[in-house]
Amino acid sequence: MQVKIEESWEKVLRQEFTVPYFSQIVAHLKIERDLNKVIFPSGQLIFNAFNKTPFDKVKVVIIGQDPYHQPKQAMGLCFSVPDDVPAPRSLQNIFKELKSDIGMPTPNNGDLTHWATQGVLLLNTVLTVRQNEPGSHSRIGWLNFTDAVIKKISEKKSGVIFLLWGKYAQEKKSLIDVSKHFILEAAHPSPLSANNGFFGCKHFSKTNTILVQQGKNAIDWSTT
C-alpha cells in the first residue's frame, strides 16, 4: 500500500503498510467518511508528526493518546493545536511547567511545530478520532502501528529520550530498550493529575541536559 509519509519514515515503516491491520485502518476510515462521519485530524495531517520530524532527526519522543476531538484543534502532533486555537488545559499545564522549570514565558499560541522540527516526535498512539467521541478509533488498528513506530525507534536509534506522561504512555516502556535510551516518567499534564507529579518533574531541563551530554543540540522549547 502506498502511504504518503516522509521518506525516511517510509523506508523504516514500509513493512507495516503491507500487513492486514493497516489495510483494516484504511478501510475503516473510508467507511466512516462514506457515512459522513467527521474525522480529526484532516487526512493530510494524519501523519504530520512523521512529516515534521523525520526518522533520522528524532531525538525526543513525547507520547500522547488520541487526537483532540473538537473542531479545529487536532493537527497530528500530540498536545499541539494550531496557533489561532486556544491552548487546551493539558497544554496550558505543560506551559506552566516550562515556566517553572526553565523560566520560559507562557507562549501566545499552542502550536508545537517548532518542537517537532527540532527532533521532538509528538506521537499520539492513536492517529485519528471521530468528532466529539474521544477514543473512538482506539481499536481500529492504530495501536499496532504506533507500537511498531516506538519499536523501530528503539531498535534502530540510540540515545533517544522518551517522555512518558501518565499511565497510558508509561505502558509503552516495554517497547523501549532502556540499555540505550532514556525514559523520563511523570504524571499526565491533565488538570486531573498534573498536581500528582507532572508539576515539578523538570522534564524539559532534564531532556536538554541529556541531549547536551550526548553532544546534541538542546531543544528550544518556545513555540516560535
Side-chain angles (χ1 to χ4, degrees), residues 83 95 105-110 223-224:
D83 62 10
F95 290 156
T106 302
N108 58 11
N109 72 84
T223 61
T224 54

Side-chain angles (χ1 to χ4, degrees), residues 112-171:
L112 306 181
T113 300
H114 184 52
W115 297 10
T117 57
Q118 296 175 80
V120 181
L121 180 66
L122 297 168
L123 180 67
N124 277 318
T125 57
V126 177
L127 300 188
T128 56
V129 68
R130 284 195 300 272
Q131 180 173 331
N132 297 325
E133 296 183 52
S136 50
H137 286 176
S138 62
R139 297 184 179 180
I140 71 171
W142 282 127
L143 293 175
N144 300 81
F145 178 71
T146 53
D147 279 1
V149 169
I150 296 168
K151 288 178 183 176
K152 291 294 186 183
I153 295 171
S154 179
E155 292 169 6
K156 294 180 175 292
K157 298 183 73 72
S158 62
V160 174
I161 305 162
F162 291 83
L163 305 186
L164 306 183
W165 297 337
K167 292 180 180 179
Y168 183 87
Q170 288 159 14
E171 290 175 353

Side-chain angles (χ1 to χ4, degrees), residues 17-214:
F17 301 135
T18 68
V19 294
Y21 82 77
F22 199 86
S23 298
Q24 292 167 9
I25 294 173
V26 174
H28 188 100
L29 294 177
K30 184 178 186 303
I31 289 170
E32 290 205 2
R33 289 195 174 105
D34 289 346
L35 293 173
N36 294 318
K37 301 290 186 181
V38 178
I39 297 172
F40 299 133
S42 57
Q44 71 271 22
L45 292 177
I46 291 175
F47 294 111
N48 195 28
F50 304 91
N51 296 333
K52 290 290 190 293
T53 313
F55 181 80
D56 302 336
K57 304 294 186 183
V58 174
K59 301 190 296 188
V60 181
V61 179
I62 298 178
I63 296 178
Q65 196 159 348
D66 60 350
Y68 295 119
H69 56 87
Q70 298 291 336
K72 300 182 180 180
Q73 291 183 316
M75 57 182 295
L77 306 175
C78 72
F79 296 107
S80 181
V81 291
D83 62 10
D84 58 347
V85 174
R89 294 182 69 186
S90 289
L91 184 53
Q92 291 177 29
N93 286 339
I94 289 171
F95 290 156
K96 287 179 182 177
E97 176 59 21
L98 272 164
K99 185 173 184 179
S100 171
D101 183 10
I102 63 173
M104 191 186 84
T106 302
N108 58 11
N109 72 84
D111 185 345
L112 306 181
T113 300
H114 184 52
W115 297 10
T117 57
Q118 296 175 80
V120 181
L121 180 66
L122 297 168
L123 180 67
N124 277 318
T125 57
V126 177
L127 300 188
T128 56
V129 68
R130 284 195 300 272
Q131 180 173 331
N132 297 325
E133 296 183 52
S136 50
H137 286 176
S138 62
R139 297 184 179 180
I140 71 171
W142 282 127
L143 293 175
N144 300 81
F145 178 71
T146 53
D147 279 1
V149 169
I150 296 168
K151 288 178 183 176
K152 291 294 186 183
I153 295 171
S154 179
E155 292 169 6
K156 294 180 175 292
K157 298 183 73 72
S158 62
V160 174
I161 305 162
F162 291 83
L163 305 186
L164 306 183
W165 297 337
K167 292 180 180 179
Y168 183 87
Q170 288 159 14
E171 290 175 353
K172 304 301 178 181
K173 279 194 296 185
S174 62
L175 307 175
I176 303 164
D177 184 347
V178 295
S179 71
K180 61 174 183 171
H181 297 289
F182 302 88
I183 293 178
L184 299 179
E185 299 181 58
H188 193 277
S190 160
L192 298 175
S193 55
N195 285 311
N196 295 327
F198 179 76
F199 291 139
C201 70
K202 299 188 181 298
H203 278 189
F204 304 101
S205 60
K206 288 177 180 178
T207 293
N208 279 346
T209 296
I210 295 169
L211 289 173
V212 171
Q213 287 172 345
Q214 295 183 82

